[in-house]
């Protein structure tokens, strides 16, 4: 009798890109013959944000998939977008011993239970913290994370943007851009996207920029798509709330973004001109 493979997937909750990546890859696997059982440890709040994305609908409703609510890092009750105010020390991992394969997107602590886990990502959180002027007592965390790399885990990351530690401290397997859509049409529109991303610390000055655009009536040649968190309660009709759908990216000619890997991939695949911004001490973004 054949026994179905049991796969555990664990994704980081900081930003939307980690969850989006594992959903996209898992949906592709399921559509191309994977018959095993999948337990996906993901923040359900992120699933909610992606609920209109066809791959997410397919993923969460698939009979082989069970989604378990899991949040790391934990956000304080005060709710913050500041990276260093989140709880990176505490993590409540499930028992991973009964799975045939464990896949973790940017959470190295799984290696404490399973040194054979497959890691995905193009940077490490400890690199981000170690290259920041404000570590907020994360030095011990940084050391423990680097110690875990001594086993040289298998890590799959973007061949263009993977950091030096990813390339040199792991059994690194480079891949190309993640293509979240096969939809592409001739460019006939000149839309522009403004987005600061779910996991960034650039929200305040991005809001100020959008407010300035509105007050000074800096009207673009076509629709200006703006991330919902950046919009005031009232805005002109030449601005629309960004949906981040395939159709929206194809409508755009340019994007002004905090350059997370998912948004960069969408923009490049859709042939958008990228204007990137971030705080000067954002290691991941600057790299």
């Amino acid at each position: 009798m054949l026994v179905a493979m049991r796969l555990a997937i664990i994704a980081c909750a900081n930003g939307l890109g980690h969850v989006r990546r594992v959903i996209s890859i898992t949906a592709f696997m399921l559509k191309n013959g994977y018959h095993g059982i999948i337990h996906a440890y993901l923040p359900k709040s992120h699933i909610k944000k992606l609920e209109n994305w066809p791959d997410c609908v397919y993923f969460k409703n698939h009979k082989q998939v069970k989604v378990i609510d899991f949040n790391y890092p934990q956000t304080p009750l005060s709710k913050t977008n500041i990276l260093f105010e989140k709880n990176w020390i505490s993590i409540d991992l499930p028992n991973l011993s009964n799975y045939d394969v464990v896949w973790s997107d940017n959470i190295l602590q799984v290696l404490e239970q399973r040194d054979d886990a497959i890691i995905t990502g193009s940077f490490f959180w400890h690199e981000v913290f170690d290259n920041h002027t404000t570590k907020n007592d994360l030095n011990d965390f940084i050391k423990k994370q680097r110690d875990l790399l001594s086993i040289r885990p298998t890590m799959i990351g973007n061949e263009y943007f993977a950091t030096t530690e990813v390339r040199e401290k792991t059994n690194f397997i480079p891949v190309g851009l993640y293509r979240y859509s096969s939809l592409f049409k001739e460019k006939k529109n000149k839309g522009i996207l403004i987005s600061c991303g779910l996991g960034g610390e650039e929200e305040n000055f991005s809001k100020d920029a959008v407010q300035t655009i509105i007050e000074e009536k800096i009207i673009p040649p076509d629709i200006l798509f703006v991330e919902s968190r950046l919009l005031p309660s009232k805005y002109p009709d030449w601005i629309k709330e960004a949906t981040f759908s395939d159709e929206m990216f194809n409508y755009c000619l340019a994007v002004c973004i905090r350059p997370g890997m998912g948004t960069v991939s969408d923009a490049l695949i859709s042939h958008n001109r990228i204007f990137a911004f971030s705080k000067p001490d954002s290691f991941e973004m600057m790299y």
Side-chain angles (χ1 to χ4, degrees):
M1 183 177 69
L2 290 174
V3 178
M5 175 182 284
R6 291 170 57 84
L7 168 64
I9 303 173
I10 304 170
C12 179
N14 195 71
L16 206 56
H18 307 283
V19 172
R20 191 164 174 248
R21 178 162 55 216
V22 301
I23 288 175
S24 182
I25 295 172
T26 304
F28 181 87
M29 289 165 54
L30 291 166
K31 291 174 184 177
N32 287 274
Y34 177 78
H35 299 295
I37 296 165
I38 298 173
H39 287 178
Y41 296 88
L42 313 171
K44 287 189 175 179
S45 59
H46 287 24
I47 300 286
K48 178 71 175 173
K49 291 180 185 296
L50 295 167
E51 64 183 355
N52 294 322
W53 177 33
D55 271 3
C56 187
V57 175
Y58 176 84
F59 167 85
K60 72 177 183 179
N61 293 327
H62 201 284
K63 64 181 181 180
Q64 291 166 229
V65 176
K66 179 180 180 181
V67 177
I68 300 99
D69 195 24
F70 176 80
N71 286 275
Y72 175 81
Q74 297 174 8
T75 303
L77 294 176
S78 58
K79 294 284 184 184
T80 179
N81 285 322
I82 299 174
L83 205 59
F84 298 92
E85 292 183 0
K86 297 181 179 181
N87 185 349
W88 294 91
I89 307 301
S90 301
I91 185 168
D92 186 19
L93 286 171
N95 182 352
L96 302 173
S97 61
N98 293 325
Y99 294 102
D100 299 299
V101 177
V102 175
W103 165 21
S104 169
D105 197 284
N106 251 36
I107 299 177
L108 289 183
Q109 289 94 318
V110 298
L111 297 170
E112 295 173 349
Q113 289 192 46
R114 295 288 298 263
D115 60 8
D116 62 342
I118 297 168
I119 313 296
T120 47
S122 298
F123 70 97
F124 295 122
W125 289 113
H126 66 260
E127 291 180 283
V128 174
F129 301 145
D130 202 24
N131 284 275
H132 200 282
T133 54
T134 307
K135 295 186 176 64
N136 281 19
D137 299 322
L138 285 168
N139 285 316
D140 189 49
F141 172 84
I142 294 167
K143 182 182 183 304
K144 287 180 179 178
Q145 293 279 291
R146 286 204 167 109
D147 288 345
L148 286 171
L149 293 178
S150 63
I151 65 171
R152 295 189 69 83
T154 296
M155 186 159 185
I156 301 168
N158 185 273
E159 65 177 309
Y160 309 111
F161 300 114
T163 61
T164 302
E165 282 200 43
V166 169
R167 295 175 189 275
E168 296 182 355
K169 302 295 184 182
T170 72
N171 177 21
F172 178 56
I173 301 174
V175 296
L177 294 170
Y178 291 98
R179 184 164 191 160
Y180 297 105
S181 167
S182 58
L183 175 67
F184 183 72
K185 299 176 182 177
E186 181 185 356
K187 290 284 182 186
K188 295 182 179 179
N189 305 299
K190 298 180 180 179
I192 298 171
L193 166 67
I194 295 180
S195 169
C196 68
L198 187 65
E201 299 179 55
E202 289 82 1
E203 183 174 340
N204 288 337
F205 69 73
S206 298
K207 279 184 177 178
D208 291 342
V210 170
Q211 192 61 44
T212 298
I213 289 168
I214 293 171
E215 289 175 357
E216 298 185 7
K217 297 182 180 180
I218 307 173
I219 302 174
D222 205 322
I223 295 169
L224 181 65
F225 296 97
V226 178
E227 184 177 350
S228 60
R229 291 187 304 149
L230 307 180
L231 284 170
S233 56
K234 293 183 179 181
Y235 49 88
D237 58 8
W238 42 270
I239 290 179
K240 293 189 182 300
E241 182 179 332
T243 62
F244 296 94
S245 65
D246 305 326
E247 290 79 8
M248 186 205 73
F249 277 102
N250 278 300
Y251 194 97
C252 287
L253 196 63
V255 297
C256 183
I257 57 171
R258 178 183 188 269
M261 274 301 307
T263 317
V264 166
S265 294
D266 281 324
L268 291 176
I269 292 296
S270 298
H271 297 194
N272 301 141
R273 178 79 178 270
I274 297 175
F275 296 86
F277 65 89
S278 67
K279 286 190 172 181
D281 55 3
S282 177
F283 169 77
E284 178 200 353
M285 298 296 105
M286 295 303 294
Y287 189 91

